Amino acid sequence: VQPPEKPLQAEEWNRLRENFQSPEIFEDVMFNSMVRCNSPIDVAKSLLTYVAKSDGDIRYNLLIKYLALCVQQQKTAEICDVYDIMKMRFKILESGAYNLLIRGLSNSDQWRMALTLLEEVKKIMTPSRTNYESCIKAASHHQEMNLACELYHEMLAKDLVPTLDVLQAFFDFSRGMKDAELKKELFGILLYLRENQIYPHRTFMRSIKLWFESIPGENWRGHLTNIKDSGQCPVCSHQLEDSDLTEKEYNNLRERIITDVIHGSDTFRKTSPQEFEAFQTFVEDRLPFDIVIDGLNVSHIKPRKMQCENLFHAVNCLAKENLRLLVLGRKHMLINSSNWKQEIMKEMQNKADFFFAENISEDDAFLLYATLRSGKHCKFVTRDFLRDHKACLSDSLTRHLFRKWQRGHQISIKMIFSVFIQQPAFNYDCVVQTTGDTWHIPYKDTFEERYSYEVPRKWLCLKQK
Amino acid sequence: MQSANMLLKNFVRCSAFPFAVQHGMKKDLFGLCRTLILSPCLKEGSSHNLSEKLDLDEWKKVMKSGLQEVNETVSEHEELSTLAAARETVEMWRLAGRSVPENISEDQLKTFIECPSKSSKKKYLKYLHLKELYKKNDKRKMDEKRERRLETQDKASKTDEIKRNSFTCLWANAIDKTHNWRAAQAMVFGQPLVFDMSFENDMSPREVTNTVRQIVLSEGCNRKSVDPFHIHFCNLKENSQYHREFIKYYREAWDKLLITVTDQCYTNVFPKDKIIYLTADSPKVMKTFDHDKIYIIGSMVDRSIKTGVSLAQAKRLGLETACLPLEKYLLWNTGAKNLTLDQMMHILLTLKDTGDWRKALEFVPKRKYCGFVGRSVHELKKSLSLMNTLKHGKRQEEVRKQFAKNYSKKLTQK
């Protein structure tokens, strides 16, 4: 239905309603389309008046829809009125109404009321992150940075993930302020980005840059740049942090891979205790390896070729550099078949160590274990993204560690014109980083990054002169 | 007339604000008279010509007016207990038009409060809402049926016809007896079929309920079959969740059930080399139904993704495993290859009676496969892949559109 353009009299509404195919939902449908078409508020009011007069009451969901319309058009006085009416009528309101009220009021000069509403929400449930977003934005918009920070910390304490908009608001509104506390807060936000491996988008990056350059008396200069594969910043020729984990992180990750990925809730799901023990002794005897290869994954690279030929090709290429190789496979590879020729398998076993797992075991878990056990220099070859193994890790911190380690140690392979090309693992770590007088911040050029495993190649280099 | 009635109602409600009422009444009556005269004009949308201006904020007065008495009751108990507050929240959600049950019991409210996240709360309420809806519909249908029955009875009594029949009407009872007789025979001579009840820790309470329901269904269809299995519930601990759920379903019939229940493992009851564990994760495909083997079904409903739990169990005990030859006989379309327990029961019973895979696999839900593998395999495969490409192509398009829509929405919100 098309909402009318002008307020209607009761009898006109009545006529419209009677002509409507299902009169009992007429008001709901009409209000929905008013919100969609952004109709003038007077039209909605006239419909409410009609409903109030014919029923003597207005249902809650109609009030909410009217409220949505008011919020959409920033009618602050109306929003307050509706709130008063709701407050009188109902003991408590539900989250939908609060969301609308907070959103509507935080954009107006009545923004302090949004804060009291937030307090009210807290009494009955945890406010959503958009609730906090509205309030924080309102507070920082009115230069109440302390209040904004307080809300921000409260939000983090409730395990809510702040939107990038909120973080950006902090940088936008504290431009040019000289306040040591606030500066610490903003550095804290940058560290939050670092810890959670969040990359700001282009506009957010611009806000960060402008804020840095606006700090009075500190003389920051920002440049946009691409970092070379070597990990050196072309602007300030500073060497970025390498992607190695610290000793503690590394050990932690290894422990967690064993407990969460290999054993999990039940060791028998991926392997068996006997097999894992056999594998452990096998690895301990032959340590350390330079490269661990997922045999089955590599053997499927070229579907036209025989599987063992693919593997043979890869092993040959890597063996030329005198690296110690470990190839993981399954027992079925040892049975002569059209895909697995035993002569070739024998030849390969001269060049690399092989471990064959049971046919129903998961070889990926062994791949991770062997690589981590061999030490930091060891890399692994597979096309697999290992997402399911990452998902087995129980907390997000370890998952981040896993991702970081994977970025630095996974060699992905592409076969172009039958030449075996290695894509080197990143030498530097792609996170927000600082040395005190420099900051390097990776950012996403477009709003959406297509894949989560892709890391941005563009950087913001900030330097103090 | 109707609007006059409404007015009367308003009048009663609004007595606290005589002015507003007078105002409204005057206008309304005026309007009522005029519609008769002015209706042709109105169609042209010339509401501006009306001499009287609309009072747009009148609804507020109406809303505020009926409130005096409500307001006082609110202030009486300001501090609500958590339970009452939750009930209040649910009620408000219902008013806002969300899928929320009308009536909610104390226990359900407690479960609702204990839900760890907002989405789980919403899901739980929706579940209750649907449950309530089904119950209501069933009740309505029952009532209609009863009415119809009463009507036909009335007619029958009017015609007053006496039926002659050589059997006394004891059908249900007699059938029960034969079923039980057969089940009792199976207890002595029948082939064992084991339900493995050791997955309680891998399931949520709701999954356990579903599992038990499926087992109850399987037990029912086993009893009704010509040559039933001798059902064993192994690893069933006293007072476990399974046990409690079973008692809920069977009540006092639980002790009279013609099945074997034990807290022992099947490996202690049967020789290991005769056992075959049925699991969809098994690398081995079942070729024929062996009447000498003891088949084990894992009593587990897996709504999340927990692959290889029952395979792990079989591995641990060193048992032989097998899966149904679904790929071999069916052109699989969508859905997981794990079937419900009652479907498994139907399939195994049919296999036992006939040995015909086609007949047995009729019990696989139709939505999961496109057809039986046969002469026109190629045609089927072609159409399947075509369908899939179309579907996926379309879906990708949809996803892209959806994203673009959301994205622009987000931009406009700023």
Side-chain angles (χ1 to χ4, degrees):
Chain A
V1 285
Q2 193 68 29
E5 283 164 16
K6 301 218 172 62
L8 299 186
Q9 294 283 358
E11 56 271 29
E12 293 170 292
W13 280 120
N14 216 356
R15 194 159 318 124
L16 271 181
R17 187 188 152 122
E18 271 157 20
N19 291 336
F20 191 68
Q21 56 224 14
S22 39
E24 58 277 9
I25 56 162
F26 170 73
E27 293 91 6
D28 299 81
V29 175
M30 186 53 91
F31 260 111
N32 281 344
S33 72
M34 278 181 192
V35 173
R36 201 170 45 243
C37 306
N38 206 5
S39 304
I41 208 159
D42 285 348
V43 181
K45 276 185 182 174
S46 77
L47 179 53
L48 281 183
T49 308
Y50 161 70
V51 174
K53 278 211 269 177
S54 55
D55 298 351
D57 190 15
I58 296 171
R59 274 174 298 139
Y60 182 72
N61 63 341
L62 288 188
L63 281 179
I64 290 215
K65 281 169 186 164
Y66 174 66
L67 187 63
L69 193 67
C70 296
V71 170
Q72 203 167 300
Q73 299 180 8
Q74 292 293 333
K75 304 274 193 247
T76 313
E78 270 317 294
I79 295 172
C80 294
D81 272 4
V82 175
Y83 174 64
D84 286 341
I85 287 172
M86 280 182 164
K87 208 58 218 170
M88 278 204 280
R89 248 294 128 87
F90 307 103
K91 266 187 221 165
I92 57 168
L93 305 184
E94 47 80 62
S95 48
Y98 278 124
N99 286 346
L100 284 168
L101 286 168
I102 290 177
R103 187 144 63 87
L105 291 172
S106 63
N107 283 332
S108 68
D109 46 357
Q110 296 275 349
W111 65 277
R112 281 197 187 273
M113 207 167 131
L115 296 179
T116 47
L117 279 171
L118 188 71
E119 291 303 316
E120 239 172 82
V121 177
K122 274 186 225 159
K123 273 184 213 153
I124 51 171
M125 65 197 137
T126 353
S128 71
R129 66 177 193 159
T130 42
N131 289 159
Y132 274 109
E133 180 188 322
S134 307
C135 291
I136 292 175
K137 271 181 167 176
S140 52
H141 187 78
H142 294 86
Q143 300 294 317
E144 296 253 4
M145 295 318 276
N146 285 338
L147 183 61
C149 293
E150 213 172 278
L151 285 171
Y152 171 69
H153 287 298
E154 194 179 303
M155 177 179 185
L156 290 184
K158 286 189 170 144
D159 275 339
L160 294 169
V161 179
T163 54
L164 286 185
D165 283 358
V166 165
L167 304 181
Q168 192 182 344
F170 275 107
F171 285 95
D172 276 338
F173 292 111
S174 38
R175 207 174 287 162
M177 278 195 201
K178 198 173 180 178
D179 180 350
E181 270 305 301
L182 185 61
K183 198 171 125 192
K184 226 165 94 190
E185 242 356 290
L186 292 180
F187 281 154
I189 290 176
L190 288 175
L191 290 179
Y192 177 83
L193 294 181
R194 175 190 166 87
E195 265 151 37
N196 295 287
Q197 300 191 24
I198 301 168
Y199 307 117
H201 48 76
R202 184 175 258 284
T203 45
F204 186 8
M205 177 277 296
R206 210 154 273 288
S207 307
I208 296 174
K209 182 169 176 274
L210 289 175
W211 174 73
F212 265 104
E213 288 170 348
S214 78
I215 304 177
E218 294 203 1
N219 238 340
W220 287 91
R221 276 285 146 261
H223 292 279
L224 305 187
T225 176
N226 292 316
I227 301 285
K228 291 178 217 154
D229 280 344
S230 62
Q232 199 183 39
C233 172
V235 181
C236 60
S237 58
H238 166 71
Q239 183 69 32
L240 293 187
E241 280 176 43
D242 57 25
S243 56
D244 287 344
L245 306 185
T246 64
E247 201 63 38
K248 205 174 145 204
E249 285 173 334
Y250 195 85
N251 291 335
N252 181 24
L253 180 64
R254 194 169 64 205
E255 289 301 310
R256 296 303 293 276
I257 292 276
I258 294 174
T259 53
D260 290 356
V261 178
I262 296 176
H263 293 307
S265 61
D266 186 353
T267 317
F268 283 97
R269 277 172 73 176
K270 286 190 174 152
T271 165
S272 65
Q274 294 90 339
E275 192 184 25
F276 184 57
E277 212 165 287
F279 178 68
Q280 272 181 315
T281 44
F282 173 88
V283 172
E284 298 299 328
D285 283 351
R286 291 167 177 77
L287 277 176
F289 299 103
D290 296 316
I291 291 184
V292 183
I293 303 170
D294 184 351
L296 280 171
N297 190 295
V298 169
S299 71
H300 282 95
I301 282 182
K302 276 190 136 191
R304 291 281 171 77
K305 273 202 174 167
M306 214 194 295
Q307 287 173 9
C308 68
E309 264 183 48
N310 278 330
L311 184 59
F312 185 62
H313 193 64
V315 169
N316 262 346
C317 275
L318 293 167
K320 265 180 211 156
E321 296 167 39
N322 281 330
L323 297 170
R324 277 187 57 73
L325 304 180
L326 168 65
V327 182
L328 292 168
R330 292 211 182 100
K331 288 206 166 136
H332 71 78
M333 291 157 74
L334 286 171
I335 299 164
N336 211 357
S337 67
S338 60
N339 262 323
W340 297 101
K341 292 275 173 270
Q342 288 316 297
E343 311 86 80
I344 304 182
M345 288 300 287
K346 285 248 169 62
E347 210 180 323
M348 272 193 281
Q349 289 184 40
N350 292 330
K351 294 184 175 170
D353 284 311
F354 273 72
F355 183 84
F356 297 99
E358 291 293 331
N359 290 340
I360 48 173
S361 294
E362 287 229 19
D363 50 356
D364 287 349
F366 291 146
L367 176 88
L368 296 176
Y369 176 77
T371 317
L372 280 164
R373 189 67 195 82
S374 291
K376 283 180 183 174
H377 71 288
C378 183
K379 301 205 159 52
F380 62 97
V381 183
T382 175
R383 279 186 303 177
D384 201 308
F385 287 116
L386 307 172
R387 292 191 193 98
D388 45 346
H389 303 292
K390 193 187 80 164
C392 289
L393 295 169
S394 44
D395 66 309
S396 64
L397 193 74
T398 325
R399 276 186 227 155
H400 282 315
L401 281 185
F402 180 76
R403 210 18 134 226
K404 184 174 167 184
W405 173 78
Q406 190 189 0
R407 264 205 302 272
H409 293 83
Q410 180 166 14
I411 307 174
S412 57
I413 26 175
K414 288 177 197 154
M415 300 288 277
I416 308 164
F417 306 119
S418 86
V419 182
F420 192 71
I421 293 176
Q422 279 184 32
Q423 191 189 24
F426 275 129
N427 283 324
Y428 58 94
D429 190 17
C430 195
V431 286
V432 176
Q433 43 193 280
T434 180
T435 57
D437 60 344
T438 61
W439 278 88
H440 284 89
I441 299 168
Y443 68 92
K444 291 185 281 187
D445 204 19
T446 45
F447 212 98
E448 32 112 33
E449 196 72 27
R450 229 183 134 61
Y451 302 106
S452 62
Y453 63 85
E454 276 181 353
V455 287
R457 309 305 293 263
K458 305 211 163 184
W459 288 71
L460 167 67
C461 162
L462 289 156
K463 200 167 174 266
Q464 212 168 8
K465 268 188 188 162
Chain B
M1 193 57 211
Q2 201 187 358
S3 68
N5 276 342
M6 290 299 181
L7 260 174
L8 220 69
K9 208 161 73 185
N10 274 351
F11 185 73
V12 178
R13 274 179 164 274
C14 305
S15 51
F17 279 75
F19 169 74
V21 174
Q22 258 178 8
H23 188 78
M25 184 150 74
K26 205 162 75 187
K27 204 184 93 187
D28 231 49
L29 283 177
F30 192 60
L32 199 70
C33 308
R34 208 183 27 211
T35 35
L36 299 171
I37 316 156
L38 277 182
S39 48
C41 291
L42 276 172
K43 270 186 187 152
E44 290 149 34
S46 54
S47 52
H48 264 302
N49 295 354
L50 298 174
S51 53
E52 195 178 10
K53 266 232 130 206
L54 258 171
D55 180 5
L56 288 171
D57 285 335
E58 196 174 339
W59 60 276
K60 286 182 193 166
K61 287 175 203 154
V62 176
M63 287 301 285
K64 283 174 186 166
S65 63
L67 277 177
Q68 295 314 84
E69 55 304 4
V70 184
N71 221 354
E72 280 159 29
T73 51
V74 170
S75 52
E76 267 173 32
H77 34 99
E78 272 188 345
E79 282 304 303
L80 291 164
S81 72
T82 46
L83 219 58
R87 193 179 285 279
E88 207 62 28
T89 324
V90 172
E91 175 62 18
M92 288 317 284
W93 277 347
R94 198 174 68 76
L95 286 180
R98 294 208 204 174
S99 11
V100 157
E102 266 177 53
N103 304 307
I104 187 162
S105 73
E106 204 103 306
D107 282 344
Q108 286 169 339
L109 261 185
K110 269 178 199 149
T111 343
F112 168 73
I113 292 169
E114 278 158 18
C115 284
S117 67
K118 269 184 201 169
S119 64
S120 66
K121 277 183 185 173
K122 269 185 215 164
K123 269 186 203 159
Y124 182 65
L125 284 181
K126 190 168 180 193
Y127 158 71
L128 290 180
H129 171 71
L130 286 178
K131 207 167 128 186
E132 195 178 48
L133 217 68
Y134 289 137
K135 221 175 196 174
K136 231 186 247 170
N137 274 344
D138 283 349
K139 193 161 181 277
R140 188 173 46 85
K141 275 178 200 159
M142 287 275 274
D143 287 346
E144 276 170 17
K145 216 175 174 182
R146 189 179 304 136
E147 238 159 67
R148 242 178 290 140
R149 206 190 317 134
L150 281 177
E151 255 172 49
T152 47
Q153 253 176 19
D154 272 356
K155 272 181 200 164
S157 63
K158 268 174 203 162
T159 49
D160 211 16
E161 192 183 296
I162 301 159
K163 277 181 187 167
R164 283 164 183 278
N165 212 328
S166 53
F167 298 112
T168 38
C169 205
L170 277 171
W171 278 106
N173 204 342
I175 287 173
D176 269 356
K177 266 187 189 152
T178 40
H179 284 162
N180 282 338
W181 176 244
R182 273 198 212 132
Q185 260 186 325
M187 289 279 282
V188 188
F189 304 112
Q191 182 180 1
L193 180 76
V194 179
F195 282 94
D196 178 8
M197 306 283 185
S198 54
F199 300 107
E200 204 172 273
N201 298 332
D202 291 304
M203 289 191 281
S204 67
R206 203 168 151 200
E207 284 170 338
V208 175
T209 329
N210 290 343
T211 310
V212 168
R213 167 125 193 97
Q214 287 179 11
I215 294 176
V216 170
L217 286 174
S218 336
E219 193 273 326
C221 78
N222 181 58
R223 200 184 334 150
K224 286 186 189 99
S225 74
V226 189
D227 184 14
F229 284 106
H230 174 196
I231 294 183
H232 287 70
F233 290 168
C234 287
N235 291 327
L236 184 66
K237 304 276 181 299
E238 191 78 19
N239 229 339
S240 58
Q241 278 187 64
Y242 280 122
H243 189 236
R244 267 175 278 147
E245 285 292 329
F246 272 124
I247 300 231
K248 222 194 229 170
Y249 267 109
Y250 282 114
R251 295 193 194 156
E252 55 273 20
W254 172 246
D255 294 324
K256 293 178 201 153
L257 227 48
L258 292 170
I259 55 171
T260 305
V261 179
T262 165
D263 59 354
Q264 286 197 333
C265 186
Y266 30 86
T267 45
N268 298 338
V269 183
F270 303 106
K272 244 184 183 181
D273 54 326
K274 290 234 163 177
I275 295 176
I276 295 181
Y277 207 113
L278 293 175
T279 161
D281 297 319
S282 171
K284 266 184 212 144
V285 178
M286 194 173 160
K287 288 211 176 70
T288 49
F289 182 84
D290 194 334
H291 294 269
D292 287 333
K293 296 278 186 193
I294 291 129
Y295 289 98
I296 301 179
I297 303 175
S299 313
M300 177 174 176
V301 168
D302 180 17
R303 280 169 177 275
S304 56
I305 20 168
K306 282 182 190 139
T307 43
V309 173
S310 52
L311 186 65
Q313 174 86 348
K315 257 202 232 166
R316 182 177 6 253
L317 299 168
L319 301 173
E320 205 180 316
T321 60
C323 67
L324 295 180
L326 299 173
E327 292 276 74
K328 192 178 161 198
Y329 288 95
L330 302 172
L331 211 58
W332 202 258
N333 185 16
T334 52
K337 299 247 166 61
N338 48 3
L339 302 174
T340 61
L341 301 172
D342 51 313
Q343 284 159 11
M344 277 309 280
M345 190 58 148
H346 275 296
I347 290 172
L348 289 177
L349 279 171
T350 322
L351 277 180
K352 189 173 176 229
D353 287 347
T354 63
D356 185 352
W357 278 107
R358 271 159 204 269
K359 234 186 209 168
L361 294 182
E362 286 282 336
F363 290 102
V364 177
K366 294 277 182 294
R367 66 171 187 283
K368 288 195 175 184
Y369 64 95
C370 290
F372 279 88
V373 173
R375 275 156 292 155
S376 54
V377 182
H378 276 287
E379 278 170 45
L380 272 170
K381 261 195 179 154
K382 243 191 226 166
S383 61
L384 182 66
S385 68
L386 188 70
M387 249 162 57
N388 276 341
T389 47
L390 279 178
K391 208 161 54 179
H392 286 293
K394 227 179 178 179
R395 191 177 295 163
Q396 269 173 8
E397 189 75 36
E398 260 169 38
V399 168
R400 216 176 301 131
K401 266 188 194 161
Q402 190 65 33
F403 178 78
K405 209 171 133 195
N406 286 344
Y407 182 59
S408 58
K409 211 166 146 193
K410 207 171 172 192
L411 280 186
T412 49
Q413 270 175 10
K414 277 187 187 164

